[in-house]
């Protein structure tokens, strides 16, 4: 049995007119709100936590993030039981292909949805194993013994070129004109320890709050809403959403 204490929050920030982010905490969706829960998981359980950042500068990013997470919630709980790691990977890749086609086709059918897209970062529990999931530049961090470590790799032009000149340009997403989207799915079970804290977040947090500041906040026991408040206090130039997950 493993326990998770989860806090999540999604805020519009100080500049944007609407919130295009959305969070999924297993069967609960969060936008312009906060949500807290505690769960106990055994080997047969499955649980999914994900954060989606509707792409700024595109039409209806709020629809793309919502469609993606609602589809993921339904699909994830419909995956057959007893799959091995490689079969589970194939199932998630199959889901990505399906949702990418769905978001793209919605844009082709209706001009108001043309070009919409979203990132996705998640932490999935299936058959006793934890997996990190990433498509885009939203992030998963681990906070352990006072040290903050980014576990996902940004799919961004900055990361590709090793510069900081293209902060808003991503190279992979769901929809948004990406015909060959991909997802990094990594089994991290062997590295999880009791007391670990995992942070899922959009760039609305990491662009506003440095890793050093995040480390200090998490050391002080900050929950997701308090992290969002820190981003808003520092300018809140984008929507900001995050989940803080503590392993018991």
């Amino acid at each position: 049995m493993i326990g998770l204490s989860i806090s999540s929050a999604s805020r519009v920030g100080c500049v944007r007119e609407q919130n295009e982010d959305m969070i999924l905490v297993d069967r609960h969706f969060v936008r312009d709100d906060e949500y807290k829960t505690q769960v106990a998981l055994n080997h047969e359980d499955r649980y999914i936590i994900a954060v989606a950042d509707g792409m700024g500068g595109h039409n209806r990013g709020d629809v793309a993030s919502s469609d993606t997470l609602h589809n993921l919630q339904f699909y994830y709980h419909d995956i057959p039981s007893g799959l091995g790691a490689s079969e589970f990977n194939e199932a998630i890749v199959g889901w990505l292909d399906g949702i990418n086609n769905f978001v793209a086709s919605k844009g082709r059918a209706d001009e108001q949805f043309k070009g919409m897209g979203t990132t996705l970062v998640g932490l999935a529990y299936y058959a006793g194993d934890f997996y990190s999931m990433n498509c885009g530049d939203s992030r998963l961090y681990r906070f352990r013994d006072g040290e903050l470590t980014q576990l996902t790799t940004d799919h961004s032009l900055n990361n590709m070129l090793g510069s900081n000149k293209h902060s808003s340009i991503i190279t992979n997403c769901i929809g948004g004109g990406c015909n060959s989207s991909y997802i990094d799915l990594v089994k991290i079970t062997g590295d999880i320890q009791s007391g670990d804290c995992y942070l899922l977040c959009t760039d609305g947090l990491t662009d506003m709050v440095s890793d050093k500041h995040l480390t200090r906040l998490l050391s002080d026991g900050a929950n997701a809403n308090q992290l969002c408040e820190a981003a808003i206090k520092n300018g809140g130039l984008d929507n900001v959403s995050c989940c803080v997950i503590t392993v018991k």
Side-chain angles (χ1 to χ4, degrees):
M1 187 74 69
I2 188 167
L4 301 179
S5 179
I6 303 162
S7 70
S8 60
S10 179
R11 307 281 292 279
V12 69
C14 302
V15 175
R16 305 282 187 177
E17 293 184 358
Q18 66 177 356
N19 191 352
E20 296 184 318
D21 293 355
M22 183 172 273
I23 298 170
L24 169 65
V25 182
D26 199 51
R27 298 183 185 274
H28 192 96
F29 298 92
V30 183
R31 174 181 280 162
D32 297 321
D33 201 359
E34 61 177 313
Y35 174 71
K36 298 177 182 179
T37 190
Q38 296 189 42
V39 296
L41 304 172
N42 61 39
H43 189 277
E44 290 75 28
D45 290 329
R46 62 184 67 186
Y47 205 83
I48 182 77
I49 307 167
V51 174
D53 182 354
M55 291 173 61
H58 290 74
N59 294 328
R60 305 310 303 270
D62 60 322
V63 174
S65 59
S66 178
D67 283 353
T68 295
L69 291 187
H70 280 84
N71 187 278
L72 176 61
Q73 190 271 337
F74 176 82
Y75 183 94
Y76 190 76
H77 287 283
D78 204 42
I79 294 174
S81 300
L83 298 183
S86 62
E87 295 170 313
F88 179 72
N89 183 81
E90 290 175 6
I92 296 300
V93 170
W95 169 78
L96 179 70
D97 289 341
I99 189 60
N100 193 49
N101 290 334
F102 175 80
V103 172
S105 65
K106 201 167 185 176
R108 290 191 296 268
D110 191 329
E111 184 68 24
Q112 70 169 315
F113 301 126
K114 184 178 180 181
M116 69 178 182
T118 184
T119 68
L120 177 82
V121 66
L123 185 67
Y125 181 79
Y126 174 86
D129 284 314
F130 282 97
Y131 297 83
S132 67
M133 306 166 58
N134 181 49
C135 177
D137 66 346
S138 295
R139 294 177 177 177
L140 170 64
Y141 289 89
R142 182 192 66 221
F143 180 67
R144 176 189 293 164
D145 297 331
E147 182 176 349
L148 187 68
T149 304
Q150 184 178 341
L151 300 183
T152 52
T153 299
D154 294 352
H155 302 155
S156 66
L157 197 58
N158 271 350
N159 193 56
M160 182 182 295
L161 300 178
S163 71
N164 293 313
K165 298 178 181 179
H166 313 280
S167 61
S168 63
I169 301 176
I170 60 176
T171 56
N172 182 40
C173 66
I174 295 168
C178 288
N179 296 321
S180 56
S181 296
Y182 60 93
I183 191 163
D184 294 335
L185 184 70
V186 180
K187 186 162 72 171
I188 61 172
T189 312
D191 189 51
I192 289 182
Q193 300 178 13
S194 181
D196 282 352
C197 180
Y198 290 86
L199 170 64
L200 294 166
C201 62
T202 62
D203 61 358
L205 178 67
T206 52
D207 284 350
M208 293 288 100
V209 185
S210 68
D211 283 5
K212 183 178 181 180
H213 191 185
L214 284 174
T215 299
R216 186 163 62 249
L217 289 167
L218 291 171
S219 295
D220 291 340
N223 61 30
N225 197 52
Q226 289 167 326
L227 296 183
C228 289
E229 284 289 348
I232 291 170
K233 184 177 180 180
N234 286 349
L237 300 181
D238 198 355
N239 306 146
V240 53
S241 301
C242 63
C243 289
V244 177
I245 305 144
T246 303
V247 180
K248 297 183 179 180

